[in-house]
């Protein structure tokens, strides 16, 4: 296999992983939208700092176990959490 074929093979794998990530995030956001609607109907706050802290701690440990930078993992998760909270606030405000 020449260098171009090797690189192409790696890139194909990366493309497949990226596609899986997008579909997993889409599924996650479908579920968090349902959570947001439930919270709005139940008059619960959009954010749950205790849950968020527990998730970050749990995922930092998973990152360490997977040999992935826990700081990167936390930044990524915080970005997702902020987006989820923003969606929950919008759902609440639209009610």
């Amino acid at each position: 296999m020449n260098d171009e074929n090797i690189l192409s093979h790696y890139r194909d794998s990366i493309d497949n992983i990226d596609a899986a990530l997008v579909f997993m995030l889409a599924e996650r956001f479908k579920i968090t939208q349902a959570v947001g609607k439930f919270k709005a109907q139940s008059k619960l706050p959009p954010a749950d700092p205790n849950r968020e802290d527990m998730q970050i701690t749990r995922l930092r440990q998973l990152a360490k176990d997977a040999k992935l930078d826990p700081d990167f993992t936390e930044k990524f998760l915080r970005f997702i959490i902020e987006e989820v909270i923003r969606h929950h606030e919008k759902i609440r405000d639209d009610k």
Side-chain angles (χ1 to χ4, degrees):
M1 197 181 279
N2 65 32
D3 289 350
E4 190 172 311
N5 288 342
I6 292 170
L7 183 58
S8 178
H9 175 73
Y10 288 148
R11 287 180 173 165
D12 287 346
S13 292
I14 289 169
D15 291 349
N16 288 340
I17 294 166
D18 288 347
L21 286 169
V22 167
F23 280 98
M24 290 178 76
L25 282 170
E27 190 62 26
R28 188 184 196 286
F29 276 93
K30 284 180 198 171
I31 295 166
T32 60
Q33 286 292 98
V35 169
K37 289 175 186 172
F38 175 79
K39 284 182 172 184
Q41 291 167 351
S42 301
K43 306 269 192 268
L44 295 170
D48 184 346
N50 289 332
R51 163 91 173 144
E52 294 157 21
D53 289 344
M54 288 187 325
Q55 283 295 91
I56 287 169
T57 299
R58 184 176 76 83
L59 292 176
R60 283 186 67 89
Q61 185 58 54
L62 286 172
K64 288 177 190 174
D65 295 345
K67 310 266 188 286
L68 181 65
D69 180 357
D71 292 335
F72 166 77
T73 303
E74 181 173 342
K75 286 178 195 173
F76 183 71
L77 182 61
R78 285 195 186 278
F79 175 78
I80 291 171
I81 289 170
E82 289 170 10
E83 190 66 13
V84 167
I85 291 169
R86 189 178 68 75
H87 288 188
H88 288 186
E89 288 170 342
K90 184 175 181 341
I91 291 168
R92 179 198 60 201
D93 294 345
D94 289 346
K95 290 273 177 200

